[in-house]
């Protein structure tokens, strides 16, 4: 795992990786801008046009919704970031394989864009659903002082391990072999997911976390096969 992290960190300045980073950041910002605009106009429509509230009351409602959005932003950012990297993750894996595993690159299967899009949206939906279901438990465990982070990292480590691992495996393993591969890599993928979940909680570092996760997943996959 340390080797995978260091190799991934060292490749962040590669031009192809930087292009993916810029595209992923741009698309993530666009998604959040659209969500913010939707929140504003949706609130105005509901409270002013439909319920007849005054502009001041509607403004307070917007502020309240904005605060709630910030509180759950760590879940939303993670979901959006992983969905976006699902679109561009194949480019990162290709660059890692080109530099470190050329034989694997030569025998890899191209993943169609439609499949990448499906995997990204599925990952985002699964992350939102699981974390919303666990939200009451997160709140209750706040009383313990440490229970909430433990549950968060355990659950999101599993989710991210599945997403990042399958993103690489889809290029090299036949669908009929995926079940056996999942079983044999369950714990190492969970460990990867926990690490990336931790990186996603750190300011500034969280911008690079999805790319590091995709690159680390490639190193772990080929390291085990090697």
């Amino acid at each position: 795992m340390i080797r995978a992290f260091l190799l991934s960190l060292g490749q962040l300045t590669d031009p192809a990786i930087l292009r993916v980073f810029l595209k992923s950041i741009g698309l993530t910002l666009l998604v959040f801008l659209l969500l913010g605009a939707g929140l504003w106009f949706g609130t105005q429509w509901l409270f002013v046009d439909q319920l007849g509230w005054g502009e001041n009351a509607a403004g307070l409602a917007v502020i309240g919704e904005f605060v709630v959005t910030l509180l759950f932003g760590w879940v939303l950012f993670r979901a959006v970031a992983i969905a976006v990297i699902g679109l561009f993750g194949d480019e990162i894996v290709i660059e890692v394989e080109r530099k470190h595993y050329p034989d694997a690159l030569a025998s890899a299967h191209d993943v169609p864009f439609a499949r990448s899009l499906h995997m990204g949206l599925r990952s985002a939906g699964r992350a939102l659903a699981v974390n919303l279901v666990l939200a009451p438990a997160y709140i209750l465990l706040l009383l313990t002082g440490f229970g909430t982070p433990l549950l968060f990292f355990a659950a999101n480590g599993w989710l991210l391990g599945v997403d990042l691992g399958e993103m690489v495996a889809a290029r090299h393993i036949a669908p009929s072999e995926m079940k056996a591969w999942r079983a044999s890599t369950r714990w190492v993928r969970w460990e990867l997911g926990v690490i990336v979940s931790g990186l996603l909680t750190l300011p500034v570092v969280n911008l690079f976390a999805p790319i590091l996760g995709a690159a680390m997943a490639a190193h772990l996959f080929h390291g085990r096969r090697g």
Side-chain angles (χ1 to χ4, degrees):
M1 192 65 70
I2 295 176
R3 172 183 177 274
F5 176 76
L6 293 177
L7 288 174
S8 301
L9 193 63
Q11 206 169 346
L12 280 180
T13 55
D14 287 7
I17 300 292
L18 287 176
R19 283 195 296 270
V20 174
F21 171 73
L22 293 175
K23 286 191 294 185
S24 64
I25 290 297
L27 187 53
T28 300
L29 290 175
L30 177 61
V31 169
F32 273 94
L33 286 174
L34 292 175
L35 288 173
L39 177 65
W40 169 261
F41 289 110
T43 302
Q44 292 292 310
W45 174 83
L46 176 62
F47 292 105
V48 177
D49 298 338
Q50 301 301 312
L51 298 179
W53 289 17
E55 291 288 344
N56 291 336
L60 291 175
V62 170
I63 294 172
E65 291 188 20
F66 181 72
V67 171
V68 171
T69 301
L70 286 179
L71 291 175
F72 288 96
W74 48 278
V75 174
L76 189 61
F77 176 80
R78 178 236 176 259
V80 172
I82 294 302
V84 170
I85 212 62
L87 296 177
F88 305 124
D90 211 38
E91 298 178 43
I92 298 171
V93 176
I94 288 172
E95 289 307 311
V96 171
E97 291 176 348
R98 191 190 313 279
K99 185 171 184 177
H100 298 280
Y101 313 100
D103 292 340
L105 177 61
S107 62
H109 309 291
D110 290 332
V111 179
F113 177 78
R115 185 176 181 186
S116 296
L117 178 61
H118 176 261
M119 292 173 66
L121 293 176
R122 183 188 63 184
S123 300
R126 186 164 51 196
L128 284 174
V130 169
N131 282 284
L132 287 175
V133 169
L134 292 177
Y138 290 153
I139 295 172
L140 288 174
L141 289 172
L142 284 174
L143 300 174
T144 68
F146 61 87
T148 298
L150 288 179
L151 179 59
F152 173 80
F153 287 123
N156 286 275
W158 169 70
L159 290 167
L160 277 170
V162 171
D163 298 337
L164 294 171
E166 290 188 358
M167 183 176 62
V168 182
R171 293 173 43 79
H172 300 280
I173 295 180
S176 59
E177 300 173 350
M178 288 292 284
K179 185 176 180 180
W181 174 81
R182 291 189 189 101
S184 66
T185 59
R186 181 181 298 113
W187 293 111
V188 70
R189 287 186 293 112
W190 180 77
E191 184 182 354
L192 169 64
V194 170
I195 291 172
V196 178
S197 292
L199 295 176
L200 282 167
T201 64
L202 302 175
V204 181
V205 176
N206 58 5
L207 301 177
F208 299 90
I211 290 178
L212 284 171
M216 289 175 67
H219 285 296
L220 291 172
F221 178 85
H222 293 297
R224 287 177 62 87
R225 296 191 87 184

